[in-house]
Amino acid sequence: MKRRARLALVVLACLAAGPVLAQGRDWAGLDPVQTARVAEDLHDDLVGCKEVPKTFFHDCVRAAARHAARKLSNNAAYWEVEVALTRMSRRLDQWVRSVEDPDGARLSHDGTRLRAVRAAAIPELDALTLALIEEARVNILNAAPEEMPFFLPIAAALETLR
């Protein structure tokens, strides 16, 4: 068998084995069901953050971003979204740690233990959180035109807190 024919058979066998979970030209790995699930869960988690006491709000937003990023971590086609959400989560984690209330209790919310911040730091954290959300949203919306239908719902979910 010629070398080209064997290569073609290998490629066809790989494609027939299931979906390709790598970023590519033909939306390989991009899935409207996964997009909808992540966008809906992120929206719901952020709405839930509005219900926690204000001292836990910022850690709740961090947890929501982290949770959404983890849902995308096994699909390379969503790499840009995962990176944007992970950066947001990590920066919020750093800020929350820097102003954590040492005497504050922990709150269990949706299976996550949230840390309280000092009340005096809340106005500054509010501004920083909104800036991080906007940065993540802009980074997500800088996607290729083919990716935009899949990334737009996730970026729109971030606007829940605006």
Side-chain angles (χ1 to χ4, degrees):
M1 183 180 277
K2 290 185 178 181
R3 186 175 182 181
R4 273 192 173 165
R6 280 186 288 189
L7 180 60
L9 284 174
V10 169
V11 169
L12 286 174
C14 289
L15 292 175
V20 179
L21 295 179
Q23 189 171 8
R25 298 250 184 248
D26 298 322
W27 303 335
L30 294 171
D31 179 17
V33 173
Q34 184 173 18
T35 296
R37 183 174 35 236
V38 170
E40 183 179 335
D41 288 351
L42 179 59
H43 175 269
D44 292 347
D45 287 349
L46 292 174
V47 166
C49 289
K50 292 178 180 180
E51 299 169 3
V52 301
K54 194 66 175 162
T55 55
F56 295 99
F57 173 78
H58 304 91
D59 202 31
C60 183
V61 172
R62 175 210 50 86
R66 183 173 182 243
H67 186 244
R70 282 186 166 184
K71 287 185 175 190
L72 298 169
S73 66
N74 291 325
N75 189 338
Y78 289 92
W79 181 79
E80 294 95 338
V81 178
E82 180 193 358
V83 167
L85 293 172
T86 299
R87 283 183 183 157
M88 182 177 139
S89 172
R90 286 183 181 168
R91 286 187 181 159
L92 275 170
D93 184 54
Q94 290 172 342
W95 291 338
V96 166
R97 284 180 189 215
S98 71
V99 294
E100 187 174 353
D101 185 353
D103 299 324
R106 297 242 177 172
L107 174 71
S108 182
H109 176 73
D110 288 339
T112 303
R113 289 185 46 97
L114 303 177
R115 298 165 292 185
V117 297
R118 293 189 305 268
I122 290 175
E124 181 182 8
L125 278 178
D126 284 345
L128 293 171
T129 300
L130 288 177
L132 280 178
I133 288 170
E134 183 60 22
E135 180 183 329
R137 197 181 71 72
V138 166
N139 287 338
I140 291 169
L141 293 177
N142 281 333
E146 302 86 32
E147 297 170 324
M148 196 57 68
F150 299 94
F151 292 5
L152 192 57
I154 298 169
L158 286 171
E159 294 183 16
T160 303
L161 296 178
R162 293 178 92 207

Coordinates of all heavy atoms in Angstrom, one line a residue, residues 13-102:
A13 N -9.5 6.8 10.1 CA -9.8 6.0 11.3 C -9.9 6.9 12.5 O -10.7 6.7 13.3 CB -8.7 4.9 11.4
C14 N -9.0 7.9 12.6 CA -9.0 8.8 13.7 C -10.3 9.6 13.7 O -10.9 9.8 14.7 CB -7.8 9.7 13.7 SG -6.3 8.9 14.1
L15 N -10.7 10.1 12.6 CA -11.9 10.9 12.5 C -13.2 10.1 12.8 O -14.1 10.5 13.4 CB -12.0 11.5 11.1 CG -11.0 12.6 10.8 CD1 -11.2 13.1 9.4 CD2 -11.2 13.8 11.8
A16 N -13.1 8.8 12.4 CA -14.3 7.9 12.6 C -14.4 7.5 14.1 O -15.5 7.1 14.5 CB -14.2 6.7 11.7
A17 N -13.3 7.6 14.8 CA -13.3 7.2 16.2 C -14.1 8.1 17.1 O -14.5 7.7 18.2 CB -11.8 7.0 16.7
G18 N -14.3 9.3 16.7 CA -15.1 10.2 17.6 C -14.7 11.6 17.3 O -13.9 11.9 16.4
P19 N -15.2 12.5 18.1 CA -15.0 13.9 17.9 C -13.5 14.3 18.2 O -12.9 13.7 19.1 CB -15.9 14.7 18.8 CG -16.2 13.7 19.9 CD -16.2 12.3 19.2
V20 N -13.0 15.2 17.5 CA -11.6 15.7 17.7 C -11.7 16.8 18.8 O -12.5 17.7 18.6 CB -11.0 16.2 16.4 CG1 -9.6 16.7 16.6 CG2 -11.1 15.2 15.3
L21 N -10.9 16.6 19.8 CA -11.0 17.6 20.9 C -9.8 18.5 20.8 O -9.1 18.7 21.8 CB -11.0 16.8 22.2 CG -12.3 16.0 22.5 CD1 -12.2 15.3 23.8 CD2 -13.5 16.9 22.4
A22 N -9.5 19.0 19.7 CA -8.5 20.0 19.5 C -9.0 21.1 18.7 O -9.9 21.0 17.9 CB -7.2 19.3 18.9
Q23 N -8.4 22.3 18.9 CA -8.8 23.4 18.2 C -8.4 23.3 16.7 O -7.3 22.9 16.4 CB -8.2 24.7 18.8 CG -8.7 26.0 18.2 CD -8.2 27.1 19.0 OE1 -7.3 27.0 19.8 NE2 -8.7 28.3 18.7
G24 N -9.3 23.6 15.8 CA -9.0 23.5 14.4 C -9.9 24.4 13.6 O -10.6 25.2 14.1
R25 N -9.8 24.2 12.3 CA -10.4 25.1 11.4 C -11.9 24.8 11.3 O -12.7 25.7 11.0 CB -9.8 24.9 10.0 CG -8.4 25.3 9.9 CD -8.2 26.6 9.2 NE -6.8 26.9 9.0 CZ -6.3 28.0 9.6 NH1 -7.0 28.7 10.4 NH2 -5.1 28.2 9.5
D26 N -12.4 23.6 11.5 CA -13.8 23.2 11.3 C -14.5 23.1 12.6 O -15.3 22.2 12.8 CB -13.8 21.8 10.5 CG -13.2 21.9 9.2 OD1 -13.4 23.0 8.5 OD2 -12.5 21.0 8.8
W27 N -14.2 24.0 13.5 CA -14.9 24.0 14.8 C -14.7 22.7 15.6 O -15.5 22.4 16.4 CB -16.4 24.4 14.7 CG -16.7 25.6 14.0 CD1 -15.9 26.7 13.9 CD2 -17.9 25.9 13.3 NE1 -16.5 27.7 13.2 CE2 -17.8 27.2 12.8 CE3 -19.1 25.3 13.1 CZ2 -18.8 27.9 12.1 CZ3 -20.1 25.9 12.4 CH2 -19.9 27.2 11.9
A28 N -13.6 22.0 15.3 CA -13.4 20.8 16.0 C -13.3 21.0 17.5 O -12.5 21.8 18.0 CB -12.1 20.1 15.5
G29 N -14.1 20.3 18.2 CA -14.1 20.3 19.6 C -15.1 21.4 20.2 O -15.5 21.3 21.3
L30 N -15.5 22.3 19.4 CA -16.5 23.3 19.8 C -17.9 22.7 19.7 O -18.3 22.1 18.7 CB -16.4 24.6 18.9 CG -15.1 25.3 19.0 CD1 -15.1 26.4 18.0 CD2 -15.0 25.9 20.4
D31 N -18.6 22.8 20.8 CA -19.8 22.0 21.0 C -20.9 23.0 21.5 O -20.8 23.5 22.6 CB -19.6 20.8 21.9 CG -20.9 20.0 22.1 OD1 -21.8 20.1 21.4 OD2 -20.8 19.2 23.1
P32 N -22.0 23.1 20.8 CA -23.1 24.0 21.3 C -23.7 23.6 22.6 O -24.1 24.4 23.5 CB -24.1 24.0 20.2 CG -23.8 22.9 19.3 CD -22.3 22.6 19.5
V33 N -23.7 22.3 22.9 CA -24.3 21.7 24.1 C -23.3 22.1 25.3 O -23.8 22.5 26.3 CB -24.5 20.2 24.0 CG1 -24.9 19.6 25.4 CG2 -25.5 19.9 23.0
Q34 N -22.0 21.9 25.1 CA -21.1 22.3 26.1 C -21.1 23.8 26.4 O -21.0 24.2 27.5 CB -19.6 21.8 25.8 CG -18.7 22.1 26.9 CD -17.3 21.5 26.6 OE1 -16.9 21.2 25.5 NE2 -16.5 21.4 27.7
T35 N -21.1 24.5 25.3 CA -21.2 26.0 25.5 C -22.4 26.4 26.3 O -22.3 27.2 27.2 CB -21.3 26.7 24.1 OG1 -20.1 26.4 23.4 CG2 -21.5 28.2 24.2
A36 N -23.6 25.9 26.0 CA -24.8 26.2 26.7 C -24.7 25.8 28.1 O -25.1 26.6 29.0 CB -26.0 25.5 26.0
R37 N -24.2 24.6 28.4 CA -24.1 24.1 29.8 C -23.1 25.0 30.6 O -23.5 25.4 31.7 CB -23.6 22.7 29.8 CG -23.5 22.1 31.2 CD -23.2 20.6 31.1 NE -22.2 20.2 30.1 CZ -22.5 19.3 29.2 NH1 -23.6 18.6 29.2 NH2 -21.6 19.0 28.3
V38 N -22.0 25.4 30.1 CA -21.0 26.2 30.8 C -21.6 27.6 31.0 O -21.5 28.2 32.1 CB -19.7 26.3 30.0 CG1 -18.8 27.3 30.7 CG2 -19.0 24.9 30.1
A39 N -22.2 28.2 29.9 CA -22.8 29.5 30.1 C -23.9 29.6 31.1 O -24.0 30.5 31.9 CB -23.3 30.0 28.7
E40 N -24.8 28.6 31.0 CA -25.9 28.5 32.0 C -25.4 28.3 33.4 O -25.9 29.0 34.3 CB -26.8 27.4 31.6 CG -28.1 27.3 32.5 CD -29.0 26.2 32.1 OE1 -29.0 25.8 30.9 OE2 -29.8 25.7 32.9
D41 N -24.5 27.4 33.6 CA -23.9 27.2 35.0 C -23.2 28.4 35.5 O -23.3 28.8 36.7 CB -23.0 26.0 35.0 CG -23.7 24.7 34.8 OD1 -25.0 24.7 34.9 OD2 -23.1 23.6 34.6
L42 N -22.4 29.1 34.6 CA -21.7 30.3 35.0 C -22.7 31.4 35.4 O -22.5 32.0 36.5 CB -20.8 30.8 33.9 CG -19.9 32.0 34.2 CD1 -19.1 31.8 35.5 CD2 -19.1 32.4 33.0
H43 N -23.7 31.6 34.6 CA -24.7 32.6 34.9 C -25.4 32.2 36.3 O -25.6 33.1 37.1 CB -25.8 32.6 33.8 CG -26.9 33.5 34.1 ND1 -28.1 33.1 34.7 CD2 -27.1 34.8 33.9 CE1 -28.9 34.1 34.8 NE2 -28.3 35.1 34.3
D44 N -25.8 31.0 36.4 CA -26.5 30.6 37.7 C -25.6 30.8 38.9 O -26.1 31.2 39.9 CB -27.0 29.2 37.6 CG -28.1 29.0 36.6 OD1 -28.7 30.0 36.1 OD2 -28.4 27.8 36.2
D45 N -24.3 30.4 38.7 CA -23.4 30.6 39.9 C -23.2 32.0 40.2 O -23.2 32.4 41.4 CB -22.0 29.9 39.5 CG -22.1 28.4 39.5 OD1 -23.1 27.8 40.0 OD2 -21.1 27.8 39.1
L46 N -23.1 32.9 39.2 CA -22.9 34.3 39.5 C -24.2 34.9 40.1 O -24.1 35.8 41.0 CB -22.5 35.1 38.2 CG -21.1 34.7 37.7 CD1 -20.8 35.4 36.3 CD2 -20.0 35.0 38.7
V47 N -25.3 34.5 39.6 CA -26.6 35.0 40.3 C -26.6 34.5 41.7 O -27.0 35.3 42.6 CB -27.8 34.5 39.5 CG1 -29.1 34.6 40.3 CG2 -27.9 35.2 38.1
G48 N -26.2 33.3 42.0 CA -26.1 32.8 43.3 C -25.2 33.6 44.2 O -25.4 33.7 45.4
C49 N -24.1 34.2 43.6 CA -23.2 35.0 44.4 C -23.8 36.2 44.9 O -23.4 36.8 45.9 CB -21.9 35.3 43.5 SG -20.9 33.9 43.2
K50 N -24.8 36.7 44.2 CA -25.5 38.0 44.6 C -26.3 37.7 45.9 O -26.6 38.6 46.6 CB -26.5 38.4 43.5 CG -25.8 39.0 42.3 CD -26.8 39.4 41.3 CE -26.2 39.9 40.0 NZ -27.2 40.3 39.0
E51 N -26.5 36.5 46.2 CA -27.3 36.1 47.4 C -26.5 35.9 48.6 O -27.1 35.8 49.7 CB -28.2 34.9 47.1 CG -29.2 35.1 45.9 CD -29.8 33.8 45.4 OE1 -29.6 32.7 46.0 OE2 -30.6 33.9 44.5
V52 N -25.2 35.7 48.5 CA -24.4 35.5 49.7 C -24.1 36.8 50.4 O -24.2 37.9 49.7 CB -23.1 34.7 49.3 CG1 -23.3 33.4 48.7 CG2 -22.2 35.6 48.5
P53 N -23.8 36.8 51.7 CA -23.4 38.0 52.3 C -22.2 38.7 51.6 O -21.3 38.0 51.0 CB -22.9 37.6 53.7 CG -23.7 36.3 53.9 CD -23.8 35.7 52.6
K54 N -22.2 40.0 51.6 CA -21.2 40.8 50.8 C -19.8 40.5 51.1 O -18.9 40.5 50.2 CB -21.5 42.3 51.1 CG -20.8 43.2 50.1 CD -21.3 43.0 48.7 CE -20.7 44.1 47.8 NZ -20.8 43.8 46.4
T55 N -19.5 40.1 52.3 CA -18.1 39.7 52.7 C -17.6 38.4 52.0 O -16.5 38.2 51.9 CB -17.9 39.6 54.2 OG1 -18.9 38.6 54.7 CG2 -18.1 40.9 54.9
F56 N -18.6 37.6 51.5 CA -18.2 36.4 50.8 C -18.4 36.5 49.3 O -18.0 35.6 48.6 CB -19.1 35.2 51.3 CG -18.9 34.9 52.7 CD1 -19.8 35.4 53.7 CD2 -17.8 34.1 53.2 CE1 -19.6 35.1 55.0 CE2 -17.6 33.8 54.5 CZ -18.5 34.3 55.4
F57 N -18.9 37.6 48.8 CA -19.2 37.7 47.4 C -18.0 37.5 46.5 O -18.1 36.8 45.5 CB -19.8 39.1 47.2 CG -20.0 39.5 45.7 CD1 -21.1 38.9 45.0 CD2 -19.2 40.3 45.0 CE1 -21.3 39.2 43.7 CE2 -19.4 40.6 43.7 CZ -20.5 40.1 43.0
H58 N -16.9 38.1 46.8 CA -15.8 38.1 45.9 C -15.2 36.7 45.8 O -14.7 36.2 44.7 CB -14.7 39.1 46.3 CG -15.3 40.5 46.3 ND1 -15.9 41.0 47.5 CD2 -15.5 41.4 45.4 CE1 -16.4 42.2 47.2 NE2 -16.2 42.5 46.0
D59 N -15.2 36.0 46.9 CA -14.7 34.6 46.8 C -15.7 33.7 46.1 O -15.3 32.7 45.4 CB -14.4 34.1 48.3 CG -13.5 32.9 48.3 OD1 -12.6 32.8 47.4 OD2 -13.6 32.0 49.1
C60 N -16.9 34.1 46.2 CA -18.0 33.3 45.4 C -17.8 33.5 43.9 O -17.9 32.5 43.1 CB -19.3 33.8 45.8 SG -20.7 32.9 45.1
V61 N -17.5 34.7 43.5 CA -17.2 35.0 42.1 C -16.0 34.2 41.6 O -15.9 33.6 40.5 CB -17.0 36.5 41.8 CG1 -16.6 36.8 40.4 CG2 -18.3 37.2 42.1
R62 N -15.0 34.2 42.5 CA -13.7 33.4 42.2 C -14.1 31.9 41.9 O -13.7 31.3 41.0 CB -12.7 33.5 43.3 CG -11.5 32.6 43.1 CD -10.9 32.2 44.4 NE -11.8 31.6 45.3 CZ -12.1 30.3 45.4 NH1 -11.7 29.4 44.5 NH2 -12.9 29.8 46.3
A63 N -14.9 31.4 42.8 CA -15.3 30.0 42.7 C -16.1 29.7 41.5 O -16.0 28.7 40.8 CB -16.1 29.6 44.0
A64 N -17.0 30.7 41.1 CA -17.8 30.5 39.9 C -16.9 30.5 38.6 O -17.1 29.6 37.8 CB -18.8 31.6 39.8
A65 N -16.0 31.3 38.6 CA -15.0 31.4 37.4 C -14.2 30.1 37.4 O -14.0 29.5 36.3 CB -14.1 32.6 37.5
R66 N -13.7 29.7 38.5 CA -12.9 28.4 38.6 C -13.7 27.2 38.1 O -13.3 26.4 37.4 CB -12.4 28.3 40.0 CG -11.5 27.1 40.2 CD -10.9 27.1 41.6 NE -10.0 25.9 41.7 CZ -10.2 25.0 42.6 NH1 -11.3 25.0 43.4 NH2 -9.4 24.0 42.7
H67 N -15.0 27.2 38.6 CA -15.8 26.0 38.3 C -16.1 26.0 36.7 O -16.0 24.9 36.1 CB -17.2 26.2 39.0 CG -18.1 25.1 38.9 ND1 -19.3 25.2 38.3 CD2 -18.0 23.8 39.3 CE1 -19.9 24.0 38.3 NE2 -19.1 23.1 38.9
A68 N -16.3 27.1 36.1 CA -16.6 27.2 34.7 C -15.3 26.8 33.9 O -15.4 26.1 32.9 CB -17.1 28.6 34.3
A69 N -14.2 27.3 34.4 CA -12.9 27.0 33.7 C -12.6 25.5 33.7 O -12.2 24.9 32.7 CB -11.8 27.8 34.3
R70 N -12.9 24.9 34.9 CA -12.7 23.4 35.0 C -13.6 22.6 34.0 O -13.2 21.6 33.6 CB -12.9 23.0 36.4 CG -11.8 23.3 37.3 CD -12.0 22.7 38.7 NE -10.7 22.7 39.4 CZ -10.6 22.2 40.6 NH1 -11.6 21.6 41.2 NH2 -9.5 22.3 41.2
K71 N -14.8 23.1 33.7 CA -15.6 22.4 32.8 C -15.1 22.4 31.4 O -15.5 21.6 30.6 CB -17.0 23.0 32.9 CG -17.8 22.7 34.1 CD -19.2 23.2 34.0 CE -19.9 22.7 35.3 NZ -21.4 22.9 35.2
L72 N -14.2 23.4 31.1 CA -13.7 23.5 29.8 C -12.2 23.0 29.7 O -11.7 22.9 28.6 CB -13.7 25.0 29.4 CG -15.0 25.7 29.3 CD1 -14.9 27.2 29.2 CD2 -15.8 25.1 28.2
S73 N -11.7 22.5 30.8 CA -10.3 22.2 30.8 C -9.9 21.0 29.9 O -8.7 20.9 29.5 CB -9.8 22.0 32.2 OG -10.4 20.8 32.8
N74 N -10.8 20.1 29.6 CA -10.5 18.9 28.8 C -10.8 19.1 27.3 O -10.8 18.2 26.6 CB -11.3 17.7 29.3 CG -10.7 17.3 30.7 OD1 -9.6 17.4 30.9 ND2 -11.6 16.8 31.5
N75 N -11.1 20.4 26.9 CA -11.4 20.6 25.5 C -10.5 21.8 25.0 O -10.8 22.9 25.3 CB -12.9 20.9 25.4 CG -13.3 21.0 23.9 OD1 -12.5 21.2 23.0 ND2 -14.6 20.8 23.7
A76 N -9.5 21.5 24.3 CA -8.6 22.5 23.8 C -9.2 23.5 22.9 O -8.7 24.6 22.8 CB -7.4 21.8 23.0
A77 N -10.3 23.3 22.3 CA -11.0 24.3 21.5 C -11.5 25.5 22.3 O -11.6 26.6 21.7 CB -12.2 23.6 20.8
Y78 N -11.7 25.3 23.6 CA -12.1 26.4 24.5 C -10.9 27.0 25.3 O -11.1 27.6 26.3 CB -13.2 25.9 25.4 CG -14.5 25.6 24.8 CD1 -14.8 24.3 24.3 CD2 -15.5 26.6 24.7 CE1 -16.0 24.0 23.7 CE2 -16.7 26.3 24.1 CZ -17.0 25.0 23.6 OH -18.2 24.8 23.0
W79 N -9.7 26.8 24.8 CA -8.6 27.2 25.5 C -8.6 28.6 25.9 O -8.3 29.0 27.1 CB -7.3 26.9 24.7 CG -6.0 27.2 25.4 CD1 -5.4 26.5 26.4 CD2 -5.3 28.4 25.2 NE1 -4.3 27.1 26.8 CE2 -4.2 28.3 26.1 CE3 -5.4 29.5 24.4 CZ2 -3.2 29.3 26.1 CZ3 -4.4 30.5 24.4 CH2 -3.3 30.4 25.3
E80 N -8.9 29.5 25.0 CA -8.9 31.0 25.3 C -9.9 31.3 26.4 O -9.6 32.1 27.3 CB -9.3 31.8 24.1 CG -8.3 31.7 22.9 CD -8.7 30.7 21.9 OE1 -9.4 29.7 22.2 OE2 -8.2 30.8 20.8
V81 N -11.1 30.7 26.4 CA -12.1 30.9 27.4 C -11.6 30.4 28.8 O -11.7 31.0 29.8 CB -13.4 30.2 27.1 CG1 -14.5 30.4 28.2 CG2 -13.9 30.8 25.7
E82 N -11.0 29.2 28.8 CA -10.5 28.6 30.0 C -9.4 29.5 30.6 O -9.4 29.7 31.8 CB -9.9 27.2 29.7 CG -9.4 26.6 31.0 CD -8.5 25.3 30.7 OE1 -8.4 24.9 29.6 OE2 -8.0 24.8 31.7
V83 N -8.5 30.0 29.8 CA -7.4 30.8 30.3 C -8.0 32.1 30.9 O -7.6 32.6 31.9 CB -6.4 31.2 29.1 CG1 -5.5 32.3 29.5 CG2 -5.6 29.9 28.8
A84 N -9.0 32.7 30.2 CA -9.6 34.0 30.7 C -10.2 33.8 32.0 O -10.0 34.6 33.0 CB -10.5 34.5 29.7
L85 N -11.0 32.7 32.2 CA -11.7 32.4 33.4 C -10.7 32.0 34.5 O -10.9 32.4 35.7 CB -12.7 31.3 33.2 CG -13.9 31.7 32.3 CD1 -14.8 30.5 32.0 CD2 -14.7 32.8 33.0
T86 N -9.6 31.3 34.2 CA -8.6 30.9 35.1 C -7.9 32.1 35.7 O -7.6 32.2 36.9 CB -7.7 29.8 34.5 OG1 -8.4 28.7 34.2 CG2 -6.6 29.4 35.5
R87 N -7.5 33.0 34.8 CA -6.8 34.2 35.2 C -7.7 35.0 36.2 O -7.2 35.5 37.2 CB -6.4 35.1 34.0 CG -5.3 34.6 33.3 CD -4.9 35.5 32.1 NE -3.8 35.0 31.4 CZ -3.6 35.3 30.1 NH1 -4.3 36.1 29.5 NH2 -2.5 34.7 29.5
M88 N -8.9 35.1 35.8 CA -9.9 35.9 36.7 C -9.9 35.2 38.1 O -9.9 35.9 39.1 CB -11.2 35.9 36.0 CG -12.3 36.6 36.7 SD -13.8 36.6 35.8 CE -15.0 36.3 37.1
S89 N -10.1 33.9 38.1 CA -10.2 33.2 39.3 C -8.9 33.3 40.2 O -9.0 33.5 41.4 CB -10.4 31.7 39.0 OG -10.3 30.9 40.2
R90 N -7.7 33.2 39.5 CA -6.5 33.3 40.3 C -6.2 34.7 40.9 O -5.8 34.8 42.0 CB -5.3 32.9 39.4 CG -5.3 31.4 39.2 CD -4.1 31.0 38.3 NE -4.1 29.5 38.1 CZ -3.4 28.9 37.3 NH1 -2.6 29.6 36.5 NH2 -3.5 27.6 37.1
R91 N -6.5 35.7 40.1 CA -6.4 37.1 40.6 C -7.3 37.3 41.7 O -6.9 38.0 42.7 CB -6.5 38.1 39.5 CG -5.4 38.1 38.5 CD -5.5 39.2 37.5 NE -4.4 39.2 36.6 CZ -4.5 39.8 35.4 NH1 -5.6 40.4 35.0 NH2 -3.5 39.8 34.6
L92 N -8.6 36.9 41.6 CA -9.5 37.1 42.7 C -9.0 36.4 43.9 O -9.2 36.8 45.1 CB -10.9 36.6 42.3 CG -11.7 37.7 41.6 CD1 -13.0 37.0 41.0 CD2 -12.1 38.8 42.5
D93 N -8.5 35.2 43.7 CA -8.0 34.4 44.9 C -6.9 35.2 45.6 O -6.8 35.2 46.8 CB -7.5 33.0 44.4 CG -7.0 32.2 45.5 OD1 -7.8 31.9 46.4 OD2 -5.9 31.7 45.5
Q94 N -5.9 35.8 44.8 CA -4.9 36.5 45.4 C -5.4 37.7 46.2 O -5.0 38.0 47.3 CB -3.9 37.0 44.3 CG -3.1 36.0 43.7 CD -2.3 36.5 42.5 OE1 -2.6 37.5 41.9 NE2 -1.3 35.7 42.1
W95 N -6.4 38.4 45.6 CA -6.9 39.6 46.3 C -7.7 39.2 47.5 O -7.6 39.9 48.5 CB -7.8 40.4 45.3 CG -7.0 41.1 44.2 CD1 -5.7 41.4 44.3 CD2 -7.5 41.5 43.0 NE1 -5.3 42.0 43.1 CE2 -6.4 42.1 42.3 CE3 -8.7 41.5 42.4 CZ2 -6.5 42.6 41.0 CZ3 -8.8 42.0 41.1 CH2 -7.7 42.6 40.4
V96 N -8.5 38.2 47.4 CA -9.3 37.7 48.6 C -8.3 37.3 49.7 O -8.5 37.7 50.9 CB -10.3 36.6 48.2 CG1 -10.8 35.9 49.4 CG2 -11.4 37.1 47.3
R97 N -7.3 36.6 49.4 CA -6.3 36.2 50.4 C -5.7 37.4 51.1 O -5.4 37.4 52.3 CB -5.2 35.3 49.8 CG -5.7 33.9 49.5 CD -4.5 33.1 48.9 NE -5.0 31.8 48.5 CZ -4.3 30.7 48.5 NH1 -3.1 30.7 49.0 NH2 -4.8 29.6 48.1
S98 N -5.4 38.4 50.3 CA -4.7 39.6 50.8 C -5.5 40.4 51.8 O -5.0 41.1 52.6 CB -4.2 40.5 49.7 OG -5.2 41.1 49.0
V99 N -6.9 40.3 51.6 CA -7.7 41.1 52.5 C -8.7 40.2 53.3 O -9.7 40.6 53.8 CB -8.5 42.2 51.7 CG1 -7.6 43.2 51.2 CG2 -9.4 41.5 50.6
E100 N -8.3 38.9 53.4 CA -9.2 38.0 54.1 C -9.3 38.4 55.6 O -8.4 38.8 56.2 CB -8.6 36.6 54.0 CG -9.4 35.5 54.6 CD -8.8 34.1 54.4 OE1 -7.8 34.0 53.6 OE2 -9.4 33.1 54.9
D101 N -10.5 38.2 56.1 CA -10.8 38.5 57.5 C -10.4 37.3 58.3 O -11.0 36.3 58.3 CB -12.3 38.8 57.6 CG -12.7 39.2 59.0 OD1 -11.8 39.2 59.9 OD2 -13.9 39.5 59.2
P102 N -9.3 37.5 59.1 CA -8.8 36.4 59.9 C -9.8 35.9 61.0 O -9.8 34.8 61.4 CB -7.6 37.0 60.6 CG -7.7 38.4 60.5 CD -8.6 38.8 59.4

